[in-house]
Amino acid sequence: MEINTPSKSLAVSIASLVIFITTWELICRLGFIEPLFLPAPSQILSRAVKMIENGQLISHTLASTRRVMVGFFVSSMVAIPFGIFLGSSRFFMAVFDPIISLLRPLPSMSWIPLSLLWLGITETQKYSIVFMGSFAPSLLYIIEATKSIDPLLIRAARNLGASKLDVMKEVILPGSLPQIIAGLKVMLGIAWTCIISAELVAAREGLGFMIMNGKEYFQTDTVLLGMVMISITVMVIDVVFRKFERRLLPWTR
């Protein structure tokens, strides 16, 4: 069966989701699985309504979103100019490459003990985890995007009298921007992984804290609700990111 239009594709996706949730609900209601291990979707929805009414769900979601966006924004603002600079200079790339190679393999979880020692259980500590977890991979994406620019274009611009700054602004940045944006979208997902890891270990609010707190009190519906909220929040941010990308890069539509 072929799907020729976006509306048909959307209808198939909605039908698939409805069938999945209905099957899950029936399996739980018929008693095939203990609610302690897998509560029904209706039970998770009931928990969501209660947590919305007392304000906890909104509070936890906003706390995690704020931490991700602040840490990711700072990381991107440092990584973009630094990555373009390194991608344009073989000498400085040789200087910094060993340091980047040392930092890149470190997972976000490995920074948590050190950040707690330095900053304590604070908001700055959460931002730093997102920053450290996303900075080195973002930097590599940007360096590779910068290196992908055709050298003939750069030489042509210089032959026409463009300065180094002009080449950077008029050739390298516009040419590498689509790949940079694509890399940042991938890193945004990793930034969420970073903050949830940090909140699972040391936090007083946030979706990671909510999941861990639900686990401590055997509230499986709260755990699953936290996981669902992470997925929904990432999807919403991804939609916003795509709209921003279309405005910034209209020629890629």
Side-chain angles (χ1 to χ4, degrees):
M1 182 180 177
E2 292 187 4
I3 299 175
N4 300 322
T5 61
S7 59
K8 286 185 179 179
S9 178
L10 179 62
V12 170
S13 298
I14 292 174
S16 170
L17 184 61
V18 170
I19 291 171
F20 172 73
I21 293 175
T22 305
T23 306
W24 178 3
E25 182 78 25
L26 286 175
I27 288 174
C28 294
R29 284 184 178 271
L30 293 174
F32 290 110
I33 301 177
E34 284 289 328
L36 178 63
F37 296 108
L38 184 65
S42 57
Q43 189 178 342
I44 298 172
L45 182 62
S46 175
R47 173 67 67 179
V49 171
K50 290 178 183 175
M51 294 189 72
I52 289 173
E53 287 175 348
N54 61 27
Q56 290 183 354
L57 188 59
I58 303 297
S59 173
H60 289 310
T61 304
L62 289 178
S64 293
T65 304
R66 184 187 66 246
R67 289 163 180 165
V68 167
M69 297 314 295
V70 171
F72 181 72
F73 178 77
V74 176
S75 171
S76 300
M77 289 301 100
V78 178
I80 289 173
F82 192 42
I84 292 175
F85 174 69
L86 292 184
S88 308
S89 170
R90 289 184 180 179
F91 173 75
F92 284 105
M93 186 64 213
V95 171
F96 285 98
D97 187 50
I99 303 170
I100 297 169
S101 299
L102 284 173
L103 294 176
R104 185 174 58 86
L106 295 176
S108 59
M109 289 288 286
S110 65
W111 290 102
I112 293 176
L114 193 61
S115 65
L116 285 172
L117 286 171
W118 285 351
L119 303 168
I121 305 176
T122 61
E123 288 299 295
T124 308
Q125 184 259 343
K126 307 296 182 298
Y127 302 149
S128 71
I129 291 297
V130 176
F131 180 88
M132 295 309 298
S134 60
F135 177 71
S138 298
L139 192 62
L140 287 178
Y141 268 112
I142 295 161
I143 290 170
E144 291 304 318
T146 306
K147 286 181 176 177
S148 69
I149 301 298
D150 190 346
L152 287 176
L153 293 175
I154 297 174
R155 279 203 292 270
R158 286 179 178 167
N159 288 338
L160 291 171
S163 65
K164 286 186 178 181
L165 185 61
D166 290 334
V167 171
M168 192 79 72
K169 285 166 45 182
E170 304 297 334
V171 180
I172 295 177
L173 185 58
S176 60
L177 210 48
Q179 287 191 50
I180 291 176
I181 296 289
L184 291 180
K185 281 197 291 188
V186 175
M187 293 317 305
L188 187 58
I190 294 178
W192 269 98
T193 307
C194 297
I195 198 59
I196 296 301
S197 300
E199 290 175 350
L200 286 172
V201 176
R204 298 184 182 88
E205 64 173 348
L207 291 174
F209 167 78
M210 176 179 146
I211 291 171
M212 183 56 71
N213 202 41
K215 173 250 178 188
E216 294 293 329
Y217 292 98
F218 298 99
Q219 296 174 342
T220 317
D221 50 355
T222 303
V223 174
L224 286 170
L225 177 59
M227 294 167 66
V228 170
M229 287 307 299
I230 292 170
S231 296
I232 292 174
T233 309
V234 172
M235 287 169 61
V236 170
I237 293 176
D238 189 59
V239 169
V240 174
F241 212 112
R242 285 174 190 272
K243 287 185 179 295
F244 170 73
E245 182 183 9
R246 286 175 184 170
R247 280 185 173 273
L248 189 65
L249 309 172
W251 62 89
T252 61
R253 293 178 190 175

